[in-house]
Amino acid sequence: TTVLWDVDSLDWKYRERSRVVEKVCREVEDGDIILMHDIFRTSKEAALDIVDRLLADGWQFVTVDELLVD
């Protein structure tokens, strides 16, 4: 199964933690898959911030398998 993303964080382009966090949190919707890369320190930090922020806002994270079943 090919799985694509709904929100492109553009972390490879911006390489600025706060900008990536704001972009993703502004654009994400229920059921979205967020594309991020793990090659930059700022991307890793942004990913942790995004998870913390979305969890605090009541979001729930699931695996791709769980998402595709629903």
Side-chain angles (χ1 to χ4, degrees), residues 27-45:
E27 294 181 8
V28 71
E29 296 179 1
D30 188 36
D32 281 353
I33 295 173
I34 302 166
L35 173 65
M36 296 191 74
H37 303 83
D38 63 357
I39 58 174
F40 303 115
R41 179 184 49 80
T42 53
S43 297
K44 295 173 191 175
E45 294 169 348

Side-chain angles (χ1 to χ4, degrees), residues 3-8 28-29 31-35 64 67-68:
V3 178
L4 299 176
W5 60 89
D6 302 290
V7 177
D8 187 348
V28 71
E29 296 179 1
D32 281 353
I33 295 173
I34 302 166
L35 173 65
V64 172
L67 187 63
L68 293 178

Side-chain angles (χ1 to χ4, degrees), residues 45-63:
E45 294 169 348
L48 295 173
D49 288 350
I50 290 165
V51 168
D52 289 345
R53 186 162 159 183
L54 294 178
L55 284 174
D57 288 343
W59 287 80
Q60 182 178 22
F61 291 85
V62 298
T63 64

Side-chain angles (χ1 to χ4, degrees), residues 3 10 12 15 18 23 26 28 39 41 56 61 64 70:
V3 178
L10 298 178
W12 59 270
R15 295 184 63 183
S18 62
K23 181 182 187 318
R26 181 180 63 247
V28 71
I39 58 174
R41 179 184 49 80
F61 291 85
V64 172
D70 290 339

